[in-house]
Amino acid sequence: MAIPDLNTSDIRSLVPNSQDVLELDRGGQKIVFSATIDGTRYAIKALRANPIDPAIGDESDVLDDVTARAQREVETMQQCDTPHLVKMGPIGLTTGTVRGQQVIYYTEEFIEGQNLWSYLRSHGPMDVQELAILGTHIAQGIRAIWQFSKIHRDIKPGNIMRRNSGEFILLDMGLVFDLTDESLSVSPVGTPKYFSPEQLNFVQRRTVLDFRSDLFSLGIVLYEMSTGTHPFAPSKGLTTWEVIGNIHNLHPPAPSRVVSTLPSEFDRVVMRMLGKKPALRYRSIDLFIRDLNNLMGGS
Amino acid sequence: MSLLIQCGYGPSAKIENAISEGVAKGVILSPRHENPEKLEKRAGALLRDNPGATVMMDPQYYVATLPNPKDGKLPYYDYYARNSGMTRTQFTNRRIHSIVKDCLSFQANLEAELSYHMSPTVLCDDFRDYWSQIVLNMASEAMDLQDGETGLLVSLLIGEGAFHSRDAVEDFADALTQLTDVAGFYLVLRRDSSSLDHSPKPEILTNLMYLVYILSEINQFEVWVGYSDWCGFMLEAVGANGTAGGWFQKERQFSMSAFQPSRGGRQPRPRYSSIPLLANPLLFPELEDIIRAGLLDRVLSGSPFDAALVGRGKIDEGAWPRDVEARAHWYSLSTLSDSIGKHESIDDRLNACSRLIRVSRELHTQLSTVVNFERPTGPEHLENWQSAIVLFKSLTGL
Ligand SMILES: Nc1ncnc2c1ncn2[C@@H]1O[C@H](COP(=O)(O)OP(=O)(O)O)[C@@H](O)[C@H]1O
Ligand SMILES: [Mg+2]
């Protein structure tokens, strides 16, 4: 689905008390702005609402219902106390119409920093200390979501921000899942390069995915941030199906085979996260965090 | 690493002896062979006399789905009596709830404080069939109903056939590892009754080792393997906390035929338990032939019981009573388990296993000129074990 076609003045008309609106980024499905509201800087995000099945009846009613439900989910998750999930801003999920486009928009705390995708491009691969911090922070985010028996489902470099202060924050929490479940069909786009094998198992649909699926995706992120190479898309130009095949079958070389300064303990953690089956990864997020702590202490 | 005694028919002072001698670290009690009062008394006495011993009971609920089982004293246990003769469709969620509740409260209400409580289970012959779903439902019900004070072991009785598919093993492990709030698992391999030698086929043993490894090493659950007998040392090598062996053949390896009306078999012939051979040669004629060839010291295990056999021209039958045979066997199993347990890493432990097996195979070959071993004595099982270790290593990249 296409991201909505909005400019800064559209945002000012949707959010009348916004000032100094700047376009920040375009993700897979959202257009992201930053703006000052009541003296504080926030991110404003907008996505295009897909037309709802006309058979259901009045479109905007259904849309409002779905949005309200998603809003409640988001609010619940906001209550968990971790600094590693992005916080909502003053405007929760809201539907609106601009220049004939129906959009959903909301605000978030503005994070001063870079997403991991651009961080990797500007700074190159991370060292073990930083990788361990990255892993720990995002694991805390995953743990917070899992407390509500939910999983993130879309952990990838573009959805992780590195604050300039060095903290890591997970974006897009819960949203993808809760919305895709509904007729809104805000489906994940692009290649499922960061999906776990069980997420990609189209034949034998597992009834329940658990946090271990998110751990796999985080494993790919750690691999990529440590080596600069995606473990299942080592060369450019692979088709989506080739990448999916690799996620299912390829056993990539340990990170230290790519970057020889990486310690073997790091190899062990990452290779374990990339286990093809959930049971081969970590039974609990705490065990994973413990291994990362050892990594920090050890080097 | 601990060797536990797998209780069976006719428990006697041998259990207490083996524990007080430090050979065995505890017992797995068998309700089928003792009524509740006796079982409670035994548990209490063992715990009183051996603080620190591991004492638990296998509820043996799996008998409840057999037609006309030889279930011994099990009908004296409420959780069994109320829920026996069960067919597949009777296992509704409600029924599972009450079976699990009855079974766990029986254990919790015992005067003796068992080291673990064990959940009831049914036989799982295929990791993907309807029964396996019942098994998982019982396990998660037990997790919800546990009292929170005593560690819960989820018991599993798995048929050899289930281990044919590695993929199915992994999927089952995925489900088991979702049981985050349990202490661990009590795992039993149901042997196909036709093949009661020491060793399942290599691929089956490999996958069993793999399951133990996933649960213990990767996911940090405790894993206790019942009826493991000689295979125990390899399972401990890949992470099992403890293994178990019984006294008669029936308690050494698990077969459903034990619960079917017997055809009045004769007494099993006496056997010696030889660590160097990793097998139990028959006293007559196998061990006798070895003695005649002057090679007895090559097969001795080094237990105090050996004195009855050493330095005599021929074996005096009375010198090797049943209880001694059982205790000498536990001595072998626990000595093996200790020798593996010394090593820190799985890799080192597996290498130690391989060395033992290799040396043992050579010994079998050397002895083949003086003695004709019957098939159960070997050395076929050693080849199976060796291949299982090789397969396991390549599977896990160790
Ligand atoms: N709260 C925020 N603060 C600063 N930048 C953000 C914020 N949220 C998103 N961004 C930027 O916008 C990009 C896309 O945001 P995201 O919410 O992931 O949209 P999409 O769902 O389309 O991927 C991010 O990769 C990041 O660069
Ligand atoms: Mg995103």
Side-chain angles (χ1 to χ4, degrees):
Chain A
M1 63 161 287
I3 54 177
D5 166 29
L6 298 178
N7 57 38
T8 52
S9 58
D10 293 332
I11 293 299
R12 274 196 302 275
S13 73
L14 275 173
V15 186
N17 58 344
S18 60
Q19 292 169 320
D20 305 325
V21 182
L22 293 172
E23 186 179 323
L24 266 188
D25 207 340
R26 287 161 196 254
Q29 56 206 20
K30 297 188 210 92
I31 179 161
V32 184
F33 296 88
S34 69
T36 303
I37 302 173
D38 292 338
T40 310
R41 205 82 189 137
Y42 291 100
I44 302 179
K45 300 187 168 184
L47 51 143
R48 188 195 291 252
N50 257 12
I52 308 275
D53 183 351
I56 301 176
D58 182 347
E59 284 182 16
S60 55
D61 273 6
V62 179
L63 189 61
D64 286 344
D65 272 6
V66 172
T67 313
R69 214 165 332 138
Q71 173 70 20
R72 280 195 297 276
E73 293 278 0
V74 170
E75 276 164 6
T76 322
M77 284 189 230
Q78 287 292 317
Q79 288 158 15
C80 47
D81 66 328
T82 165
H84 304 292
L85 291 180
V86 66
K87 294 270 180 286
M88 291 295 273
I91 303 170
L93 287 184
T94 314
T95 54
T97 310
V98 206
R99 289 191 283 118
Q101 303 172 78
Q102 208 167 28
V103 295
I104 300 174
Y105 64 96
Y106 59 97
T107 55
E108 276 177 3
E109 65 173 312
F110 174 70
I111 298 164
E112 200 99 48
Q114 277 176 292
N115 70 29
L116 289 190
W117 190 87
S118 72
Y119 186 78
L120 182 62
R121 259 129 210 96
S122 57
H123 291 74
M126 294 176 169
D127 65 19
V128 174
Q129 289 295 327
E130 179 141 42
L131 290 162
I133 295 170
L134 165 62
T136 311
H137 287 179
I138 300 308
Q140 288 174 30
I142 295 173
R143 182 171 58 190
I145 298 173
W146 182 242
Q147 271 161 8
F148 299 99
S149 301
K150 296 230 178 281
I151 65 169
H152 187 284
R153 281 177 196 248
D154 198 20
I155 289 175
K156 60 182 183 187
N159 281 343
I160 297 173
M161 292 286 294
R162 182 185 181 279
R163 252 191 234 285
N164 292 337
S165 63
E167 279 189 314
F168 296 92
I169 290 115
L170 191 50
L171 302 177
D172 267 2
M173 43 167 270
L175 215 54
V176 174
F177 169 50
D178 289 311
L179 292 181
T180 45
D181 223 23
E182 303 293 345
S183 40
L184 267 180
S185 79
V186 182
S187 49
V189 277
T191 58
K193 266 168 67 175
Y194 296 86
F195 280 16
S196 64
E198 60 272 22
Q199 264 177 301
L200 293 169
N201 187 343
F202 307 114
V203 186
Q204 196 195 335
R205 272 244 164 265
R206 273 175 65 90
T207 40
V208 271
L209 295 172
D210 61 29
F211 69 90
R212 296 177 293 186
S213 177
D214 281 346
L215 278 188
F216 183 93
S217 306
L218 179 56
I220 301 183
V221 171
L222 288 175
Y223 192 106
E224 194 171 9
M225 296 308 293
S226 63
T227 62
T229 312
H230 189 292
F232 305 114
S235 54
K236 292 243 177 309
L238 295 183
T239 66
T240 300
W241 286 107
E242 282 166 334
V243 176
I244 292 177
N246 285 345
I247 289 174
H248 281 300
N249 302 314
L250 181 77
H251 293 269
S256 70
R257 300 261 304 279
V258 186
V259 175
S260 60
T261 49
L262 290 168
S264 59
E265 291 78 19
F266 178 74
D267 284 350
R268 242 192 312 264
V269 173
V270 172
M271 295 316 271
R272 190 153 156 188
M273 297 171 83
L274 295 181
K276 301 291 185 203
K277 302 279 181 153
L280 299 172
R281 299 169 207 155
Y282 285 90
R283 164 195 177 185
S284 76
I285 297 165
D286 291 337
L287 287 174
F288 166 62
I289 291 178
R290 191 198 58 189
D291 275 7
L292 288 177
N293 281 338
N294 290 341
L295 209 59
M296 280 190 260
S299 56
Chain B
M1 316 216 157
S2 321
L3 173 75
L4 303 184
I5 293 175
Q6 192 90 48
C7 288
Y9 179 76
S12 64
K14 59 181 168 286
I15 301 180
E16 282 75 11
N17 288 334
I19 293 178
S20 62
E21 285 158 4
V23 168
K25 303 294 191 305
V27 296
I28 299 166
L29 299 165
S30 167
R32 179 184 173 224
H33 296 101
E34 268 179 318
N35 66 35
E37 294 71 39
K38 277 198 177 154
L39 181 134
E40 174 158 36
K41 255 214 193 118
R42 181 178 305 282
L46 282 167
L47 285 164
R48 191 187 56 234
D49 300 342
N50 308 281
T54 301
V55 177
M56 48 187 162
M57 65 168 259
D58 175 353
Q60 297 165 329
Y61 181 72
Y62 38 75
V63 181
T65 62
L66 302 178
N68 304 317
K70 236 175 71 185
D71 50 10
K73 304 278 197 284
L74 274 169
Y76 293 108
Y77 292 76
D78 278 349
Y79 67 83
Y80 177 84
R82 285 195 210 141
N83 304 294
S84 54
M86 296 279 287
T87 59
R88 208 182 69 170
T89 49
Q90 288 176 287
F91 286 96
T92 58
N93 286 345
R94 207 132 137 233
R95 192 68 180 268
I96 287 177
H97 175 87
S98 73
I99 295 167
V100 172
K101 199 167 166 205
D102 287 352
C103 180
L104 291 182
S105 32
F106 173 81
Q107 297 174 66
N109 292 337
L110 287 176
E111 198 139 317
E113 276 190 28
L114 297 175
S115 315
Y116 297 91
H117 293 163
M118 246 191 233
S119 67
T121 193
V122 293
L123 172 66
C124 174
D125 251 330
D126 178 337
F127 287 127
R128 286 177 172 149
D129 70 1
Y130 190 94
W131 288 105
S132 73
Q133 211 45 57
I134 297 175
V135 168
L136 290 173
N137 289 350
M138 283 187 142
S140 68
E141 195 65 40
M143 182 172 87
D144 294 343
L145 289 173
Q146 62 183 322
D147 67 8
E149 280 164 34
T150 309
L152 175 72
L153 296 182
V154 165
S155 77
L156 299 168
L157 173 64
I158 302 169
E160 267 185 80
F163 283 101
H164 276 299
S165 156
R166 172 149 326 132
D167 204 45
V169 171
E170 288 175 332
D171 286 348
F172 195 68
D174 284 347
L176 292 178
T177 48
Q178 285 178 332
L179 302 166
T180 44
D181 293 331
V182 304
F185 297 90
Y186 167 71
L187 200 65
V188 172
L189 177 70
R190 196 281 328 268
R191 301 298 313 278
D192 294 343
S193 45
S194 56
S195 59
L196 272 187
D197 44 42
H198 312 312
S199 174
K201 298 256 172 311
E203 59 277 14
I204 292 188
L205 185 55
T206 302
N207 285 342
L208 173 64
M209 289 164 74
Y210 188 47
L211 181 61
V212 169
Y213 168 78
I214 292 178
L215 294 176
S216 62
E217 181 69 13
I218 306 254
N219 286 282
Q220 309 273 297
F221 288 104
E222 290 185 32
V223 177
W224 299 80
V225 190
Y227 302 90
S228 40
D229 202 44
W230 281 112
C231 289
F233 75 117
M234 285 176 287
L235 299 171
E236 292 192 347
V238 297
N241 298 64
T243 50
W247 45 93
F248 297 147
Q249 185 61 34
K250 274 182 189 163
E251 289 84 30
R252 291 202 188 155
Q253 307 214 28
F254 188 97
S255 145
M256 277 300 184
S257 65
F259 300 94
Q260 279 141 15
S262 74
R263 272 164 258 127
R266 52 197 162 84
Q267 278 266 359
R269 293 180 288 167
R271 288 174 179 273
Y272 179 72
S273 178
S274 167
I275 297 178
L277 286 172
L278 294 174
N280 304 82
L282 289 162
L283 245 48
F284 314 100
E286 294 174 346
L287 197 67
E288 225 175 24
D289 289 347
I290 294 170
I291 292 176
R292 202 170 300 125
L295 295 171
L296 178 64
D297 55 334
R298 302 288 306 279
V299 303
L300 289 178
S301 295
S303 83
F305 308 105
D306 286 350
L309 304 170
V310 178
R312 296 149 210 255
K314 63 195 262 291
I315 303 171
D316 171 7
E317 201 162 342
W320 202 250
R322 292 278 150 189
D323 276 16
V324 165
E325 178 174 337
R327 286 165 67 190
H329 188 52
W330 290 326
Y331 177 92
S332 300
L333 298 184
S334 91
T335 304
L336 263 184
S337 138
D338 290 347
S339 78
I340 297 302
K342 302 200 294 263
H343 300 278
E344 267 292 318
S345 72
I346 291 201
D347 214 20
D348 290 347
R349 293 202 293 264
L350 283 174
N351 288 339
C353 292
S354 288
R355 268 195 307 277
L356 283 167
I357 297 168
R358 193 170 350 101
V359 171
S360 175
R361 281 174 74 170
E362 281 160 18
L363 182 59
H364 275 266
T365 312
Q366 288 163 17
L367 293 178
S368 64
T369 53
V370 300
V371 52
N372 254 327
F373 286 129
E374 291 183 13
R375 202 171 149 264
T377 311
E380 198 184 320
H381 63 288
L382 298 174
E383 280 153 42
N384 287 344
W385 294 353
Q386 200 66 278
S387 328
I389 290 175
V390 172
L391 278 170
F392 177 85
K393 281 186 166 183
S394 76
L395 169 64
T396 53
L398 282 165

